[in-house]
Every structure is written in C-alpha cells, then in structure tokens.
Amino acid sequence: MIVIENIRKYYRKNCLKSIRQASNRNISCSSLNDAKYIGILYEIGEEHTYITLNTYVTKLLAEGKTLRIIGFHNNKYVPHYCIPQLKYDFFCQKDLNWFGKPIAPLIQEFADEPFDMLIDLSMEVIFPLQYVLAKSTAKFKVGRQNDSSEDYYDLMINLDETHDVNDLIYYINEYTNKLNGK
C-alpha cells in the first residue's frame, strides 16, 4: 500500500508541476468589492459548513456578484444536504481517476472560467481541489496559506489550526477589500 500511495503522490506532484509550467493566466489584483465574477472552491464537510457557504453566497449575490461554486466531497457520493442549484457544482470520489485527478467535464469548464477572483475556502490541502486551483485561469486567487499550494495563490491568508471557515471568509473579505487593484 505504501508503494501505491507513493506512486500516486509522485504523479500528483508532477501533474501540478506541469500545470504550473503551462500556466498562462493574466494576473490582476482585485478587491472583493471590485470583483464582478467570482469562483469559489470548497470542501463539502459537515452540514454546518455548507450552511456557512450558503450564507456567504447569499451575501455576495446581494452585492450583485456573479458566482460559480464548486465543492468536493471526499466520499463516493455527494451528501443529501447539498441541494443542486444553478450556481453550484459538486464532485466526489467517483469523479476522480485512480491517481485522484478530477475527470468530470465540469472541472475543466470551471477552470476555464475568466473569474476576476477565485476564492478557495478549503481548510486543508485536498488534491482534487488543489488541481482545480492550479488549472484555473482566474485573474486573482486567494485562499488559506499552506506549503503545497503557495505557488497557486496570489494572496494567502495565514490561519492556525484553531480557525474555521468563518474566520477564513472574514479575513478574505478584510484583506481583499483593502486592495485597490491598481
């Protein structure tokens, strides 16, 4: 089992490296206030995390933002409380290949979207979400600081283990709204 997991890790590392080398996105600093089209990545965890995300999405929609959201659940099926909606897409383990790379068509569609800002709300490093983050052509990417994703973010929020998604959302709003984008 250790050998198989090492092969997967090696593949994943090289996959992300090749994406980074092939990246040709136009980086443009943007505040959350100025961003019109926002993408959100998150891990589908407990139901309260999903409710927190819905509250945040409702707030952004009320501000006139256009959103597209993609969530990953590290299980065979998406949980019952994830209600399909126009702006939400979900994927799970059955949408991954043997190496853990997302193969669902919605992943490439999401990655190709010209987001003004991509917000990664995942609290841990999860390869399928890291893959989507790396593939994304978003102009500005923001998320929680971690060693293995620092090459993919334009702004990282440093939080310790005691913080949760609510704190991450708060600090993303605080710090990005201080940016003037010029």
Side-chain angles (χ1 to χ4, degrees):
M1 279 316 258
I2 294 173
V3 173
I4 292 172
E5 194 55 38
N6 286 340
I7 291 170
R8 286 181 176 163
K9 285 180 184 178
Y10 179 79
Y11 171 81
R12 291 172 179 175
K13 182 179 175 184
N14 284 334
C15 181
L16 292 173
K17 184 178 177 182
S18 68
I19 291 169
R20 186 175 59 241
Q21 290 172 343
S23 177
N24 60 347
R25 67 186 186 101
N26 296 323
I27 300 170
S28 175
C29 182
S30 177
S31 72
L32 191 59
N33 287 334
D34 294 337
K36 303 283 186 248
Y37 190 28
I38 300 171
I40 298 177
L41 286 173
Y42 76 103
E43 176 189 13
I44 303 168
E46 301 298 319
E47 189 170 1
H48 65 85
T49 305
Y50 182 75
I51 292 169
T52 299
L53 177 72
N54 269 334
T55 304
Y56 186 53
V57 165
T58 302
K59 177 184 172 273
L60 292 174
L61 289 172
E63 294 174 2
K65 310 293 185 195
T66 303
L67 302 175
R68 179 135 185 227
I69 303 133
I70 193 165
F72 173 73
H73 186 58
N74 197 12
N75 211 326
K76 200 169 190 173
Y77 299 102
V78 175
H80 70 280
Y81 52 82
C82 293
I83 303 163
Q85 300 176 29
L86 189 58
K87 308 264 182 227
Y88 286 78
D89 285 314
F90 306 105
F91 69 109
C92 55
Q93 286 182 351
K94 68 178 180 164
D95 299 311
L96 307 177
N97 69 10
W98 186 80
F99 293 105
K101 177 181 166 187
I103 55 174
L106 66 97
I107 301 301
Q108 189 61 48
E109 292 169 16
F110 185 88
D112 290 339
E113 291 289 332
F115 298 120
D116 296 323
M117 182 180 287
L118 177 64
I119 300 172
D120 180 5
L121 294 177
S122 55
M123 296 301 289
E124 298 177 23
V125 177
I126 301 164
F127 177 74
L129 290 176
Q130 192 178 33
Y131 177 84
V132 177
L133 174 69
K135 289 280 288 181
S136 175
T137 59
K139 295 175 189 166
F140 191 66
K141 299 177 187 179
V142 61
R144 183 171 187 259
Q145 181 181 13
N146 62 65
D147 294 337
S148 62
S149 295
E150 61 187 18
D151 291 337
Y152 311 110
Y153 291 125
D154 301 311
L155 176 65
M156 295 183 290
I157 309 297
N158 186 4
L159 297 175
D160 61 31
E161 300 302 317
T162 62
H163 293 281
D164 63 2
V165 174
N166 286 321
D167 297 328
L168 181 59
I169 289 171
Y170 172 79
Y171 286 116
I172 286 173
N173 289 338
E174 276 295 303
Y175 293 130
T176 59
N177 283 331
K178 292 180 181 183
L179 301 172
N180 65 7
K182 295 182 173 108

